[in-house]
Amino acid sequence: MRGMSAAPPDTPNPLRAFIGVFRYSRRALELVWTTSRPLTVALGILTLLAGAVPAAVAWVGAQIVDAVVAAIAAGGIDGTLVVEFVVLEGVLVAVIAAAQRGLSLCQSLLRAQLGQRVNVMILDKALTLDLDQFEDSEFYDKLTRARREASSRPLSLVMRTFGLAQNAVSLVSFAILLAAFSPWAVVVLFAAGLPAFIAETKFSGDAFRLFRWRAPETRMQMYLETVIAREDYAKEVKLFGLGPRLLDRYRAIFTKLYAEDRALTIRRDLWGFLLGLIATLALYGAYAWIALTAVAGAITLGAMTMYLMLFRQGQSAVSASLSAVGGMYEDNLYLSTLYEYLETPVAARRGDLQQGPNPADGIRFENVSFSYPDSNRPALQDVSLHIRPGTSIALVGENGSGKTTLIKLLTRLYKPTAGRVLLDGLDLEEWDPDTLRQRVGVIFQDFARYQLLVGENVGAGDEPSFDDESRWRDAAAKGQADKFIEELPAGYQTQLGKWFKDGRELSGGQWQKIALSRAFMRLRADVLVLDEPTAAMDAQAESDVFEHFRQLARDRITILISHRFSTVRMADQIAVLDDGRIVEAGTHAELLAQRGRYATLFELQARGYR
Ligand code: ADP
């Protein structure tokens, strides 16, 4: 497995790590702002309130104590001022409670909106990607990681950013009040939190690097989950008794990851505790200092109460900021994968021409070679081929000889490594992608089986007619699927697939008839490609279907991949592929006369039928 053995990257310095914490906060805020402005404004106001009011509460607390002391000294008769301050404090505390409630309300509302927004962004991007990007394992990691936490991480980063802002407002207001006692008290308050802060940043960084570095293992775990628990694999997993082995593998990955997690968590908590002790020491040092100052008569009892409260609350604000920063670090790193994914460059929209100079020319492969990304063996080598409109061609060759690859190049799913593919005399690269898509219709051997309505599965062949029932019927009749579809409980409206209640399953042959009908939906396409979609049908049905296609395809090009010579021989032209090269080409009669590979393969199959 690629990437499984990569070493964990080195540790960055704490300052860089700290700055990194805010790298994506701005973008997360933008994301919230564009998702819902009223909610963002509400969050801002409530954050300010929740941050500033605690200092006021501390100040009122001091006033209460001083008023009590003064009232006692005055003979203990008049308590009005004391009561007024108590009422004020009660009101302020209610304000804090309201602000906090409001914050959590905003958070719930944002969670839903933001999760949906990010998921749509991810899926939107997926639609613009090239096929080879899906086959690139590193890219696929990014996509799965981005999807996995799409609904929680951006919100979490936003909430932590606001939480940090709230604590910062509190700390500033505390500092202003504390400075009246001594600027040094302010210094002690912040300095005591610093070591724990640095440790937090470092460990969060470690945690993420672990998370990112182990993506291949996590992906394998997710894959195993799919294989063990999904209906389409269940049949084989059961019959071959693969379950326990796969589950063991799943467990082994967990055990390995857990060991790493445990080591990190223990280290993190141990250091957190030790460095936290420094803060506690500082708190009690300051406590003694403030108390002794009061004893010396330099501050009032009320002021002492206030300073102690400021110190205590200041410290919890510092430690709340600490854990916010730790969490933000992880959220940021998530967002970095998200944005890396969203910013993956997509191939520029290539050509924009809608017509070729020579419409009678059909398809031409000119010295085309192709290697798949990450593969050093060419899948096609120096292939030249000319297919005129109104003719059919059959591609013959062993598995892996390059037939499907040739079709993928023709449909521009991939770009040739060398040489050109032309349609109507114009390089495919110069064609407008939408026009090209309308002109070429392909049914692959691994065609998609959508868990949608039966009719929609047919309609998928021609997007504008996706839900046009009369077109479905027409196409299904040509693809010989009409009979069994009409016998289904809801006819064309029958839901397919086990994921849904009452979803029906189709047999392999029935699915192939659906796929063929899908091809017949493409009345406008003038190049039709059938890549072995008929393998599960009997020989007679296959040749009937092909005959159908030929009649339909009077001025079109039909390309057929099949292992059945009874069908292949009906094509106007036959090309034999071997190891990525065209080794023979001609009509059935010509190739038999050549007594080459085609003739041998034909004889072999014919003997089987005798
Ligand atoms: P055929 O359709 O004739 O069975 P293919 O065109 O599918 O053959 O495959 C030709 C060669 O390309 C094979 O060696 C196969 O392993 C390789 N190949 C096919 N698809 C991919 C892919 N997505 N990535 C890398 N190699 C591939």
Side-chain angles (χ1 to χ4, degrees):
M1 244 158 290
R2 222 146 50 88
M4 272 276 215
S5 57
D10 52 355
T11 322
N13 75 46
L15 181 67
R16 277 243 305 282
F18 178 67
I19 293 170
V21 165
F22 298 101
R23 222 177 52 199
Y24 285 95
S25 289
R26 191 180 60 85
R27 307 188 77 157
L29 289 177
E30 271 170 20
L31 202 61
V32 192
W33 176 247
T34 51
T35 303
S36 166
R37 291 177 187 200
L39 280 176
T40 319
V41 172
L43 270 179
I45 294 173
L46 294 169
T47 300
L48 269 180
L49 264 184
V53 178
V57 171
W59 182 81
V60 175
Q63 304 314 308
I64 294 173
V65 174
D66 284 345
V68 170
V69 172
I72 292 171
I77 309 160
D78 184 10
T80 331
L81 190 61
V82 175
V83 173
E84 278 171 15
F85 276 123
V86 170
V87 170
L88 181 57
E89 181 168 328
V91 170
L92 289 177
V93 169
V95 169
I96 298 183
Q100 270 159 358
R101 187 50 66 150
L103 281 171
S104 81
L105 174 69
C106 290
Q107 181 170 355
S108 309
L109 295 180
L110 261 181
R111 173 172 300 125
Q113 288 198 30
L114 207 56
Q116 166 72 5
R117 173 94 193 280
V118 173
N119 273 317
V120 169
M121 280 161 72
I122 292 176
L123 297 176
D124 240 349
K125 176 73 183 186
L127 292 182
T128 67
L129 296 171
D130 279 338
L131 200 61
D132 47 3
Q133 282 171 312
F134 282 95
E135 293 181 346
D136 171 359
S137 65
E138 226 166 274
F139 176 79
Y140 199 70
D141 273 347
K142 265 192 229 163
L143 175 61
T144 23
R145 265 183 288 146
R147 271 179 47 202
R148 202 168 40 201
E149 297 184 80
S151 42
S152 60
R153 287 294 189 178
L155 177 72
S156 154
L157 181 58
V158 169
M159 291 318 294
R160 284 187 173 126
T161 308
F162 276 104
L164 201 62
Q166 177 188 331
N167 282 311
V169 171
S170 295
L171 280 170
V172 168
S173 55
F174 294 166
I176 292 171
L177 290 177
L178 259 186
F181 174 68
S182 159
W184 286 111
V186 180
V187 174
V188 171
L189 177 64
F190 286 102
L194 213 56
F197 188 81
I198 292 172
E200 190 60 42
T201 335
K202 175 181 167 356
F203 285 120
S204 303
D206 286 353
F208 180 78
R209 272 188 302 282
L210 208 59
F211 167 70
R212 171 170 252 192
W213 164 55
R214 62 166 61 147
E217 279 107 331
T218 329
R219 190 178 44 187
M220 179 48 98
Q221 255 198 327
M222 284 199 313
Y223 179 71
L224 290 173
E225 278 171 34
T226 317
V227 173
I228 298 175
R230 268 247 315 255
E231 91 288 359
D232 31 354
Y233 292 101
K235 190 172 55 179
E236 275 204 28
V237 169
K238 267 199 193 330
L239 286 181
F240 293 158
L242 295 176
R245 175 183 292 273
L246 296 179
L247 192 57
D248 276 347
R249 234 179 236 199
Y250 183 78
R251 278 204 202 97
I253 295 174
F254 171 79
T255 315
K256 176 165 172 269
L257 299 187
Y258 177 71
E260 292 167 355
D261 276 346
R262 193 181 48 188
L264 183 64
T265 312
I266 292 176
R267 244 180 330 134
R268 190 178 191 161
D269 283 340
L270 198 64
W271 278 107
F273 170 68
L274 291 177
L275 297 172
L277 275 183
I278 297 181
T280 312
L281 275 178
L283 172 68
Y284 281 90
Y287 207 140
W289 177 24
I290 293 168
L292 287 176
T293 314
V295 169
I299 53 173
T300 63
L301 266 188
M304 182 190 85
T305 332
M306 178 176 79
Y307 292 138
L308 289 181
M309 192 148 140
L310 290 178
F311 231 93
R312 212 180 268 281
Q313 290 201 353
Q315 276 213 321
S316 41
V318 169
S319 68
S321 312
L322 281 187
S323 47
V325 165
M328 277 170 77
Y329 194 84
E330 283 169 28
D331 293 344
N332 251 292
L333 293 164
Y334 163 77
L335 260 84
S336 72
T337 5
L338 175 68
Y339 280 102
E340 256 172 51
Y341 162 76
L342 289 176
E343 282 157 13
T344 308
V346 288
R349 201 182 151 91
R350 290 177 256 181
D352 54 2
L353 297 181
Q354 309 200 343
Q355 229 177 337
N358 186 3
D361 195 50
I363 296 169
R364 252 178 217 280
F365 278 68
E366 285 184 352
N367 308 100
V368 171
S369 297
F370 177 73
S371 302
Y372 281 97
D374 290 338
S375 160
N376 43 16
R377 244 186 95 238
L380 283 182
Q381 292 182 66
D382 200 22
V383 167
S384 295
L385 192 65
H386 184 198
I387 316 167
R388 285 195 184 78
T391 66
S392 57
I393 181 169
L395 301 178
V396 181
E398 288 170 20
N399 293 326
S401 57
K403 303 180 297 288
T404 301
T405 306
L406 197 140
I407 304 305
K408 286 184 186 160
L409 293 183
L410 173 62
T411 45
R412 226 171 72 167
L413 288 174
Y414 294 94
K415 205 169 141 177
T417 325
R420 309 192 291 168
V421 183
L422 305 147
L423 175 65
D424 296 351
L426 185 66
D427 193 328
L428 288 189
E429 293 301 309
E430 295 178 47
W431 277 93
D432 165 58
D434 294 330
T435 312
L436 196 63
R437 200 160 43 226
Q438 281 168 14
R439 294 202 45 188
V440 183
V442 189
I443 301 301
F444 283 109
Q445 50 188 325
D446 54 352
F447 58 86
R449 299 165 185 220
Y450 302 104
Q451 305 211 354
L452 301 172
L453 302 184
V454 177
E456 290 173 334
N457 263 288
V458 175
D462 189 37
E463 194 276 330
S465 311
F466 188 79
D467 41 20
D468 180 342
E469 177 148 357
S470 66
R471 296 276 325 274
W472 298 347
R473 288 179 181 278
D474 203 37
K478 293 190 179 114
Q480 307 184 359
D482 50 342
K483 283 193 205 69
F484 83 84
I485 292 179
E486 276 148 23
E487 283 163 17
L488 290 172
Y492 285 83
Q493 305 289 338
T494 307
Q495 169 73 44
L496 294 184
K498 290 261 169 65
W499 283 34
F500 302 96
K501 192 170 170 296
D502 299 332
R504 300 285 294 217
E505 282 296 303
L506 298 182
S507 75
Q510 288 172 332
W511 267 117
Q512 289 198 334
K513 287 177 179 168
I514 296 278
L516 281 169
S517 310
R518 206 178 276 169
F520 282 112
M521 283 294 288
R522 298 196 64 95
L523 290 176
R524 286 175 304 167
D526 40 11
V527 179
L528 273 174
V529 185
L530 300 178
D531 179 358
E532 282 190 80
T534 46
M537 294 163 64
D538 54 68
Q540 185 58 48
E542 177 180 298
S543 87
D544 286 353
V545 163
F546 186 58
E547 193 47 48
H548 236 98
F549 262 103
R550 284 217 310 181
Q551 284 166 12
L552 192 84
R554 234 159 277 130
D555 346 297
R556 307 183 195 198
I557 289 177
T558 313
I559 302 176
L560 171 85
I561 299 182
S562 171
H563 288 290
R564 288 212 186 92
F565 286 85
S566 50
T567 313
V568 167
R569 62 186 297 176
M570 293 158 75
D572 302 324
Q573 208 190 146
I574 296 162
V576 184
L577 272 96
D578 183 35
D579 204 12
R581 294 174 186 279
I582 293 186
V583 288
E584 285 170 31
T587 63
H588 177 68
E590 285 166 4
L591 290 179
L592 278 190
Q594 275 185 26
R595 313 217 56 72
R597 177 180 295 259
Y598 180 83
T600 320
L601 290 172
F602 180 77
E603 276 304 312
L604 215 66
Q605 204 172 76
R607 218 178 299 149
Y609 282 110
R610 266 181 216 138

